Amino acid sequence: MEFKDSKGIFQQIADNICEKIISGEYPVFSKIPSVREQAAVMGVNHNTIMRTYMELQRENIINNQRGIGYFVTEEAPQRIVQLRKEEFFRHEMPEFIRQVKLLNLSQEELKPLFDQLNKQP
Amino acid sequence: MEFKDSKGIFQQIADNICEKIISGEYPVFSKIPSVREQAAVMGVNHNTIMRTYMELQRENIINNQRGIGYFVTEEAPQRIVQLRKEEFFRHEMPEFIRQVKLLNLSQEELKPLFDQLNKQP
Amino acid sequence: MEFKDSKGIFQQIADNICEKIISGEYPVFSKIPSVREQAAVMGVNHNTIMRTYMELQRENIINNQRGIGYFVTEEAPQRIVQLRKEEFFRHEMPEFIRQVKLLNLSQEELKPLFDQLNKQP
Amino acid sequence: MEFKDSKGIFQQIADNICEKIISGEYPVFSKIPSVREQAAVMGVNHNTIMRTYMELQRENIINNQRGIGYFVTEEAPQRIVQLRKEEFFRHEMPEFIRQVKLLNLSQEELKPLFDQLNKQP
DNA sequence: GTGGTCTAGACCACC
DNA sequence: GTGGTCTAGACCACA
């Protein structure tokens, strides 16, 4: 996996796992890969994965059954979506709108955006 | 000026100056505040401003006339808009769309967004 | 290490590192000394080394693996030689020739130069 | 006139004048352009020219007849050539040789150099 | 342990 | 007055 410089690696991995949970790849109650396994897959130090898992555990997104592994909690998908929505409406959307206005983008240039947003729902 | 934690102060100042350039507050060819003057205004160390100015110079947004000061280049506004548009279409917009789809936002929730984007133009 | 006044210390250190790379002392993919270690060895402040490393990184001569250190890139030796050759043929050599002609040096005076240049190859 | 960043502007102007002297453009005993005139031609502040002339005067390359102007001294050409030759053999030539060896330039690549050096004398 | 950023203060050369 | 560089020391996030 490749990482950006702007955010911590552990953060990026946490986001990645969260997305796997809400997309259904890691279902509720399922066991996620062990620390060492995940570290190998991601190509990072296992301490980094350790930190990721601890943060996720602190937010009740996964929990630990000692000696067995980490499991997706029942409330995980709901919590993740809730946190992200808050973040989205508080920061990301306003900032996005600000950018569009600042760059003075034309309707023409924004068409692909509207097309995408109107697609499926 | 107040700063966020997520990005470096020197970066935020650079962004701020860029916005002053494209808004016309710092016109093309005009002299921008001296390093130490800017430092005083922004309430930061002069080294921090130095770094800001050097990064902007590397991007040909300002240039230096020795012993006199830094000046907005002729191509500055165009370059800034170009750089930001590239960034927008390459990363910000796709990421924004990805978020919207991932959170499975309803048309109802997106209404404020459309309203804002359709406002002025 | 001792430094000349004419060029910045950070520049001289950068040149020094480049020469260590093309001489093979710092092989491709190897880790170079950490910022603070290098600072101690060179007898300068760590900020100075930081600047050196960042300039070298911008030129793709070294890269950073977060929390681990700086590493010599695969393309480093080739890039360094290429950059220096360009500089040599574009500026140093013409300027050298210009000097020789301006000073109207005799063949006699230039003999040591020819001897040196014809030595090994 | 255009200036490099590496050396002071006043230095570059001094060098330029010295070259005009040894090339004969400014003959011995002749009057060189006035401070303000030179400043206009070079596109720099007259203080900068003032400093240039004072340095040249300090080295007995020009002298000042008050109210009339600056004149090339009799000994100027000889002094300039002497100073430059010293500099050449002490620093420039050894450094040049070092570069050539470091870049491991082939006889092929050096041919233009030899051609130029063997041309006229 | 690693890099990264910032501050405070000094000193220099140059215009 | 301008920029430019360096030092010393602090603090932080990350691996």
Side-chain angles (χ1 to χ4, degrees):
Chain A
M1 184 168 171
E2 290 195 353
F3 302 101
K4 291 188 290 185
D5 271 16
S6 45
K7 269 195 286 186
I9 291 179
F10 80 96
Q11 250 311 339
Q12 296 177 55
I13 295 174
D15 289 348
N16 183 276
I17 292 174
C18 284
E19 294 181 6
K20 281 176 176 159
I21 291 174
I22 60 180
S23 76
E25 185 173 340
Y26 289 165
V28 164
F29 296 131
S30 72
K31 178 176 178 299
I32 65 175
S34 75
V35 170
R36 311 190 83 87
E37 200 178 338
Q38 192 78 268
V41 172
M42 295 294 197
V44 301
N45 190 293
H46 63 270
N47 288 317
T48 306
I49 301 295
M50 200 61 227
R51 174 155 181 198
T52 301
Y53 282 13
M54 275 167 46
E55 302 268 339
L56 290 175
Q57 188 173 20
R58 219 174 33 75
E59 289 171 343
N60 286 318
I61 287 169
I62 59 177
N63 61 26
N64 180 26
Q65 297 178 228
R66 281 191 54 177
I68 307 183
Y70 287 88
F71 294 80
V72 178
T73 65
E74 184 170 15
E75 61 185 18
Q78 166 213 336
R79 286 193 65 101
I80 295 167
V81 169
Q82 182 205 341
L83 286 171
R84 291 221 173 180
K85 276 198 184 178
E86 273 175 25
E87 175 66 12
F88 182 83
F89 288 111
R90 253 225 320 254
H91 293 123
E92 294 177 23
M93 193 174 101
E95 179 58 22
F96 185 81
I97 291 170
R98 190 175 146 278
Q99 274 288 324
V100 170
K101 292 194 179 300
L102 194 67
L103 291 178
N104 201 21
L105 296 174
S106 66
Q107 292 292 338
E108 189 60 36
E109 289 170 305
L110 287 176
K111 193 158 180 308
L113 172 65
F114 289 122
D115 287 353
Q116 285 288 324
L117 293 183
N118 286 318
K119 231 183 203 168
Q120 235 150 11
Chain B
M1 185 168 170
E2 291 190 354
F3 301 101
K4 292 187 291 182
D5 271 17
S6 47
K7 269 195 285 187
I9 292 180
F10 76 95
Q11 246 314 338
Q12 296 179 54
I13 295 175
D15 290 347
N16 183 276
I17 291 173
C18 284
E19 295 187 1
K20 281 175 177 161
I21 291 174
I22 58 179
S23 78
E25 184 172 342
Y26 290 165
V28 162
F29 293 130
S30 70
K31 178 178 179 301
I32 64 176
S34 79
V35 172
R36 285 162 163 84
E37 194 180 334
Q38 189 78 270
V41 171
M42 294 294 198
V44 301
N45 188 278
H46 64 267
N47 287 319
T48 306
I49 300 294
M50 195 69 229
R51 177 159 181 195
T52 300
Y53 281 14
M54 277 172 57
E55 304 263 339
L56 291 175
Q57 185 176 30
R58 194 170 318 107
E59 288 170 341
N60 285 318
I61 288 170
I62 60 180
N63 64 22
N64 176 257
Q65 295 180 224
R66 302 202 357 202
I68 306 182
Y70 282 91
F71 295 78
V72 177
T73 65
E74 184 169 15
E75 59 181 8
Q78 168 211 336
R79 283 198 67 104
I80 295 167
V81 171
Q82 182 205 340
L83 286 171
R84 293 215 175 181
K85 277 197 183 175
E86 271 176 28
E87 175 67 13
F88 182 83
F89 287 112
R90 248 222 319 244
H91 294 123
E92 295 179 23
M93 191 173 105
E95 180 59 20
F96 185 82
I97 292 170
R98 197 176 137 276
Q99 276 287 325
V100 169
K101 291 194 177 302
L102 198 65
L103 293 178
N104 201 20
L105 296 175
S106 66
Q107 290 291 340
E108 190 58 37
E109 289 170 305
L110 288 176
K111 194 157 180 310
L113 173 67
F114 288 122
D115 288 351
Q116 284 288 326
L117 293 183
N118 285 319
K119 233 184 203 169
Q120 235 150 11
Chain C
M1 185 168 171
E2 291 190 356
F3 302 101
K4 292 189 290 184
D5 270 17
S6 47
K7 270 195 285 184
I9 291 179
F10 76 95
Q11 247 312 338
Q12 297 178 54
I13 295 175
D15 290 346
N16 182 277
I17 292 174
C18 284
E19 295 186 4
K20 280 177 177 159
I21 291 174
I22 58 180
S23 79
E25 185 171 342
Y26 289 164
V28 162
F29 293 130
S30 71
K31 178 177 179 301
I32 65 176
S34 78
V35 171
R36 286 161 162 85
E37 194 180 333
Q38 190 78 269
V41 171
M42 295 295 198
V44 300
N45 188 278
H46 64 267
N47 287 318
T48 306
I49 300 295
M50 196 69 229
R51 178 159 179 196
T52 299
Y53 281 14
M54 276 172 61
E55 305 265 337
L56 291 175
Q57 185 175 29
R58 195 171 316 107
E59 289 169 342
N60 286 317
I61 287 170
I62 58 179
N63 64 22
N64 175 257
Q65 295 177 227
R66 300 201 0 203
I68 306 181
Y70 282 91
F71 294 78
V72 178
T73 64
E74 184 169 15
E75 58 182 8
Q78 166 211 338
R79 285 198 66 106
I80 294 167
V81 170
Q82 181 204 343
L83 286 171
R84 293 215 174 182
K85 278 197 183 178
E86 270 176 27
E87 175 66 13
F88 182 82
F89 288 112
R90 250 220 321 242
H91 293 122
E92 294 178 23
M93 191 174 105
E95 180 59 20
F96 186 81
I97 292 170
R98 198 176 136 276
Q99 277 286 325
V100 170
K101 291 194 179 300
L102 198 66
L103 293 177
N104 202 20
L105 296 174
S106 66
Q107 291 292 340
E108 190 58 37
E109 289 170 304
L110 287 176
K111 193 156 181 310
L113 173 65
F114 289 122
D115 287 351
Q116 285 287 326
L117 293 183
N118 286 318
K119 230 184 204 167
Q120 234 149 12
Chain D
M1 185 167 170
E2 290 194 353
F3 302 101
K4 291 188 291 183
D5 271 17
S6 46
K7 269 197 285 188
I9 291 180
F10 81 95
Q11 248 315 337
Q12 297 178 56
I13 295 174
D15 289 348
N16 184 275
I17 293 173
C18 284
E19 294 182 5
K20 281 174 176 161
I21 291 175
I22 60 179
S23 76
E25 186 173 341
Y26 290 165
V28 165
F29 295 133
S30 72
K31 178 176 180 300
I32 65 175
S34 76
V35 171
R36 310 188 85 86
E37 202 178 337
Q38 192 77 269
V41 172
M42 296 293 198
V44 301
N45 190 292
H46 63 269
N47 288 317
T48 307
I49 301 295
M50 198 64 225
R51 173 155 184 200
T52 300
Y53 281 14
M54 276 170 42
E55 302 268 340
L56 290 175
Q57 190 173 19
R58 219 173 35 76
E59 288 172 345
N60 286 319
I61 287 170
I62 60 180
N63 62 27
N64 180 28
Q65 298 179 225
R66 282 192 53 179
I68 307 183
Y70 288 88
F71 295 81
V72 177
T73 66
E74 185 171 12
E75 60 183 21
Q78 167 214 334
R79 286 194 64 101
I80 295 166
V81 169
Q82 183 205 340
L83 285 171
R84 292 222 175 179
K85 277 198 183 175
E86 274 176 23
E87 175 66 12
F88 182 83
F89 288 112
R90 253 225 318 255
H91 293 124
E92 295 178 23
M93 195 174 100
E95 179 58 22
F96 185 82
I97 292 170
R98 190 175 147 278
Q99 275 287 324
V100 169
K101 291 196 179 298
L102 194 66
L103 292 178
N104 200 20
L105 297 174
S106 66
Q107 292 292 337
E108 191 59 38
E109 288 170 304
L110 287 175
K111 193 157 180 309
L113 172 66
F114 289 123
D115 288 351
Q116 286 288 325
L117 293 182
N118 286 319
K119 232 184 206 167
Q120 236 150 10

